[in-house]
Amino acid sequence: PETTAATSLGGAKDIALDTTPKVASITTTTANGTYTAGSVINFTVTFTDAVTTTGPVTLTLANGATATCTNVTNSSTMNCAYTVQTGDTSADLTYRDMSSLTGGTVTSAANPTLTAVRTLPEPSTFATSHDIVISAPAATPTISFSSTSGNVAENGGNYSVTFNLSAPSTQDITFTIASGNGTAIGGTDFTAVNQVVTIPAGQTSFTLNIPVTNDGVYEGNETFTLSMSGVSANATLAASATQTVTITD
């Protein structure tokens, strides 16, 4: 039959093809398994058309970590890498959400005026297809005295004892500090202590001041002890949890 201009393809003047690149898929070349600190997890983002990227494009993961993507020119695939850090964990690694691909610019290689659509598939799609476990828990910090012994003059006012953490914690750490009598007597030569100490999250040291009594009477050097105990579950005590303090007279 005869084809009229109105119904022929040649007669259709307003047909426009959408050549804007879109994310077609995201996958990984990293094998299923459990990965610890220092391991590198690779992601491959595939677009429907070739793209060119500039600047740091990143992929935010559901565990709060970030994968950094390598810039590409005229390519339909973009590789991103995540290096596992101490403290990172994930029972089944995936990206945060469908808007997790951010930063830099991603444009059509054929037409740089077209900005690529970065919407990712549902994160559950990736998690279902892969079984990548991240297990790099932070080491439990250890509390110790800054030294196993200390000195303070009887007329020095206070004895300052410092507690150190081997690493900061994301939560407050608590423990009990108690004094023990030696030749120096609590309540007479110094203020006896038996209290809970808190080292705030993110800090690695804490100093406590213990008043020393200046009685004006020469008694020679005297000693007392300080002992740590009852530490919270997110920390451990050093092997030496006692300090000997000398009051010099």
Side-chain angles (χ1 to χ4, degrees):
E2 181 179 350
T3 302
T4 65
T7 59
S8 67
L9 184 61
K13 304 296 185 182
D14 298 324
I15 294 177
L17 298 178
D18 183 5
T19 57
T20 302
K22 303 174 180 63
V23 174
S25 64
I26 178 169
T27 186
T28 180
T29 56
T30 301
N32 291 338
T34 300
Y35 294 87
T36 57
S39 302
V40 178
I41 313 299
N42 295 302
F43 299 86
T44 301
V45 180
T46 301
F47 292 89
T48 54
D49 294 280
V51 297
T52 294
T53 66
T54 58
V57 178
T58 59
L59 176 68
T60 303
L61 306 179
N63 67 347
T66 299
T68 301
C69 306
T70 303
N71 284 334
V72 298
T73 301
N74 195 21
S75 174
S76 60
T77 59
M78 178 176 64
N79 296 318
C80 309
Y82 155 50
T83 301
V84 180
Q85 304 295 315
T86 299
D88 291 355
T89 59
S90 175
D92 191 3
L93 186 67
T94 187
Y95 41 93
R96 184 189 60 199
D97 53 39
M98 296 172 68
S99 301
S100 292
L101 194 64
T102 60
T105 62
V106 183
T107 58
S108 167
N111 182 359
T113 64
L114 296 177
T115 299
V117 177
R118 306 192 202 187
T119 305
L120 299 169
E122 286 283 354
S124 58
T125 303
F126 183 92
T128 301
S129 302
H130 306 283
D131 188 14
I132 296 175
V133 177
I134 305 299
S135 181
T140 302
T142 298
I143 308 171
S144 62
F145 288 106
S146 58
S147 63
T148 57
S149 63
N151 296 277
V152 60
E154 185 174 280
N155 61 359
N158 291 308
Y159 173 67
S160 297
V161 55
T162 298
F163 309 95
N164 292 331
L165 275 181
S166 59
S169 174
T170 57
Q171 298 177 317
D172 290 353
I173 290 174
T174 61
F175 61 96
T176 298
I177 182 70
S179 59
N181 292 338
T183 52
I185 307 301
T188 300
D189 300 302
F190 66 95
T191 299
V193 293
N194 187 356
Q195 67 183 75
V196 173
V197 173
T198 299
I199 300 181
Q203 295 189 18
T204 56
S205 66
F206 183 85
T207 298
L208 177 69
N209 291 319
I210 300 173
V212 174
T213 304
N214 183 14
D215 56 15
V217 178
Y218 177 77
E219 300 167 306
N221 292 347
E222 298 176 305
T223 63
F224 67 95
T225 59
L226 295 172
S227 300
M228 295 184 291
S229 64
V231 65
S232 52
N234 57 334
T236 59
L237 293 177
S240 177
T242 300
Q243 183 186 74
T244 300
V245 182
T246 300
I247 302 175
T248 58
D249 194 358

